[in-house]
């Protein structure tokens, strides 16, 4: 490899690691938002230890990506073989971990669906209609995704308020406007004029699945893009590491 190509490779790797560092920063910020935010749909899942663990893992992965990007920049600019080799190894491990995570999610999708059902069932059973942050998040999901319950509107039949009430109550955020006139509230409980609730019959699980299938091209594009960037970083680092001569180590600044 010529000196000019080596220089181009070095600075491309440096630029790549700047992007990788910013990506890690974004992951840390996203993980903290999921963990601390109390205004979005994620509030519904925050009672799950699995979800909290996932947030901590996301923060840890982001912090590791920031550290990896930092060392990658040092290895590229100062042409330090040990840092470049460590950088290549870490990228390889990250890529393998992502593949393993994708396979695990696909194999365990039934278990994950059952876990989501348990989380949402507890939310619906204990839903008192007092506009807490968890209830607002669940109302937001049902209203905007036009669904009711996780697997269907019958999920609400075990709610304590609905079971104990002498009136025909149903969750206002489930209301299907094509079946009844709009109620004054989008949260809490509304009274039905007949035995049949004027609500959406499709469960939110099906709505989420339909949304995912509709946007699967975008999801796959992001996954392939991330994998391509990681492979590019691995190729650049191994090429640079391979063509660094031992005499170049004399150019590495020495700090006292």
């Amino acid at each position: 490899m010529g000196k000019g190509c080596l220089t181009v490779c070095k600075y491309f790797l440096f630029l790549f690691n700047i992007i990788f560092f910013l990506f890690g920063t974004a992951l840390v910020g996203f993980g903290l938002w999921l963990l601390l935010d109390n205004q979005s749909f994620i509030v519904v899942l925050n009672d799950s230890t699995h979800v909290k663990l996932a947030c901590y893992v996301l923060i840890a992965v982001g912090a590791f990506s920031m550290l990896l990007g930092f060392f990658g920049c040092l290895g590229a600019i100062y042409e330090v073989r040990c840092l470049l080799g460590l950088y290549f190894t870490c990228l390889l491990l990250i890529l393998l971990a992502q593949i393993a995570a994708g396979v695990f999610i696909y194999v365990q999708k039934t278990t994950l669906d059952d876990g989501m059902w348990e989380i949402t069932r507890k939310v619906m059973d204990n839903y008192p209609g007092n506009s807490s942050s968890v209830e607002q998040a669940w109302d937001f999901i049902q209203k905007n995704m036009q669904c009711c319950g996780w697997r269907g509107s019958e999920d609400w039949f075990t709610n304590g308020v609905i079971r104990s009430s002498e009136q025909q109550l149903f969750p206002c955020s489930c209301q299907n406007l094509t079946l009844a006139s709009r109620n004054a509230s989008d949260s809490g409980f509304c009274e039905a004029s007949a035995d049949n609730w004027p609500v959406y019959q499709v469960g939110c699980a099906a709505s989420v699945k339909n949304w995912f299938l509709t946007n699967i091209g975008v999801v796959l594009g992001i996954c392939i893009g991330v994998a391509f960037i990681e492979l590019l970083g691995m190729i650049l680092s191994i090429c640079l590491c391979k063509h660094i001569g031992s005499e170049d180590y004399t150019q590495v600044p020495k700090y006292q």
Side-chain angles (χ1 to χ4, degrees):
M1 182 183 290
K3 185 177 179 180
C5 292
L6 191 64
T7 302
V8 171
C9 182
K10 178 172 69 174
Y11 285 103
F12 260 113
L13 185 60
F14 176 79
L15 178 62
F16 167 81
N17 281 287
I18 291 292
I19 297 174
F20 205 71
F21 181 86
L22 295 176
F23 174 73
T25 304
L27 276 182
V28 171
F30 185 62
L32 289 173
W33 172 73
L34 291 180
L35 194 64
L36 302 176
D37 182 65
N38 61 355
Q39 298 296 325
S40 66
F41 69 93
I42 200 66
V43 177
V44 176
L45 307 178
N46 270 347
D47 289 334
S48 171
T49 55
H50 295 87
V51 173
K52 290 184 178 179
L53 179 61
C55 292
Y56 289 128
V57 169
L58 198 62
I59 293 171
V61 169
F64 179 74
S65 299
M66 292 173 64
L67 185 64
L68 187 60
F70 175 73
F71 283 121
C73 288
L74 290 181
I77 290 299
Y78 294 121
E79 300 180 3
V80 182
R81 271 182 171 172
C82 61
L83 286 180
L84 291 173
L86 178 63
Y87 176 77
F88 173 85
T89 304
C90 290
L91 273 184
L92 178 61
L93 292 175
I94 290 175
L95 185 60
L96 293 176
Q98 289 171 340
I99 295 173
V103 172
F104 175 80
I105 291 174
Y106 179 79
V107 172
Q108 299 293 325
K109 57 184 178 180
T110 302
T111 303
L112 294 174
D113 181 68
D114 291 340
M116 287 293 299
W117 157 241
E118 287 297 323
I119 295 170
T120 55
R121 182 182 60 80
K122 290 180 181 179
V123 172
M124 288 182 284
D125 286 352
N126 300 313
Y127 182 101
N130 56 13
S131 297
S132 67
S133 57
V134 174
E135 294 172 14
Q136 290 176 7
W138 188 235
D139 289 333
F140 176 85
I141 295 172
Q142 294 188 134
K143 177 185 174 184
N144 288 275
M145 300 196 76
Q146 296 185 345
C147 56
C148 193
W150 182 246
R151 296 177 174 173
S153 58
E154 64 275 3
D155 292 346
W156 282 98
F157 293 167
T158 56
N159 174 269
V161 175
I162 292 177
R163 292 178 61 185
S164 60
S165 176
E166 296 180 356
Q167 300 171 312
Q168 291 291 334
L169 298 181
F170 67 93
C172 297
S173 56
C174 282
Q175 182 175 241
N176 187 340
L177 299 182
T178 62
L179 301 178
S181 59
R182 183 180 181 86
N183 280 290
S185 176
D186 290 327
S187 62
F189 295 103
C190 296
E191 184 177 357
S193 58
D195 291 340
N196 294 327
W197 291 355
V199 299
Y200 300 108
Q201 296 303 310
V202 63
C204 292
S207 297
V208 170
K209 183 178 180 180
N210 290 335
W211 176 90
F212 180 79
L213 292 175
T214 302
N215 296 276
I216 192 169
V218 177
V219 175
L220 288 177
I222 293 174
C223 293
I224 293 173
V226 170
F228 174 78
I229 291 174
E230 291 170 346
L231 284 173
L232 179 62
M234 292 169 62
I235 293 172
L236 289 174
S237 63
I238 202 65
C239 289
L240 186 59
C241 184
K242 182 179 178 181
H243 291 88
I244 291 175
S246 58
E247 66 275 5
D248 290 335
Y249 282 104
T250 60
Q251 300 177 8
V252 179
K254 293 180 174 59
Y255 299 96
Q256 302 295 331

